[in-house]
């Protein structure tokens, strides 16, 4: 397989350039359901994609007037393969509203910010992804 843009060339990648995809390892918090979970591992890089659907009641204006969610809300946890060495801060979106998420080395995924005045309705899909190397 030829080199691809963004592909890391290292001993692991040279010995095993075939991607591995993991489709388990995300556990949703109460009020959420996992609808997509993929972790692609290739050449030492890991690319995670998560979609959670809001199954609980609507969340009215979680970011208040400032956009800050206080306290931070854990909406899922991820298994060891999905965890970065250091906390990562990523954008998240329902396609209508947007905010930020923190993925922690202990596996906790916490919702941190949300656009002021926007609700998250039951049935909405929260999406985010992150890339890291081990």
């Amino acid at each position: 397989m030829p080199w691809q843009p963004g592909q890391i060339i290292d001993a692991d990648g040279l010995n095993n350039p075939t991607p591995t995809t993991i489709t388990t390892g995300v556990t949703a918090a109460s009020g959420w359901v996992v609808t997509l979970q993929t972790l692609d591992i290739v050449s030492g890089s890991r690319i995670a994609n998560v979609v959670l659907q809001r199954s609980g009641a609507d969340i009215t204006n979680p970011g208040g007037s400032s956009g800050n969610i206080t306290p931070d809300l854990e909406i899922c946890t991820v298994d060891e393969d999905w965890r970065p060495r250091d906390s990562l801060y990523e954008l998240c979106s329902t396609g209508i509203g947007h905010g930020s998420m923190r993925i922690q080395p202990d596996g906790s995924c916490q919702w941190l910010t949300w656009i002021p005045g926007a609700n998250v309705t039951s049935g909405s899909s929260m999406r985010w992804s992150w890339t890291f190397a081990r």
Side-chain angles (χ1 to χ4, degrees):
M1 177 166 133
W3 178 83
Q4 298 292 316
Q7 182 178 11
I8 296 172
I9 298 177
D10 59 9
D12 178 53
L14 293 173
N15 293 327
N16 186 18
T18 304
T20 299
T21 299
I22 297 171
T23 58
T24 61
V26 179
T27 303
S30 179
W32 298 91
V33 174
V34 179
T35 59
L36 177 88
Q37 54 184 318
T38 59
L39 178 65
D40 294 317
I41 304 170
V42 64
S43 300
S45 293
R46 294 168 185 250
I47 304 99
N49 288 292
V50 173
V51 178
L52 299 181
Q53 185 176 57
R54 180 69 184 155
S55 59
D58 293 357
I59 302 174
T60 304
N61 193 18
S65 59
S66 71
N68 187 38
I69 297 174
T70 305
D72 302 338
L73 296 176
E74 183 178 291
I75 65 171
C76 73
T77 58
V78 294
D79 288 349
E80 181 70 28
D81 286 334
W82 298 71
R83 298 176 185 179
R85 287 182 303 218
D86 299 307
S87 294
L88 295 176
Y89 297 82
E90 301 295 336
L91 298 176
C92 59
S93 174
T94 60
I96 297 172
H98 56 85
S100 64
M101 192 75 61
R102 176 175 51 226
I103 303 95
Q104 305 222 100
D106 68 359
S108 174
C109 295
Q110 299 168 337
W111 189 17
L112 306 176
T113 64
W114 198 247
I115 186 170
N119 299 331
V120 176
T121 57
S122 185
S124 295
S125 292
M126 179 74 76
R127 307 167 190 91
W128 74 100
S129 61
W130 65 99
T131 302
F132 63 105
R134 285 253 171 152

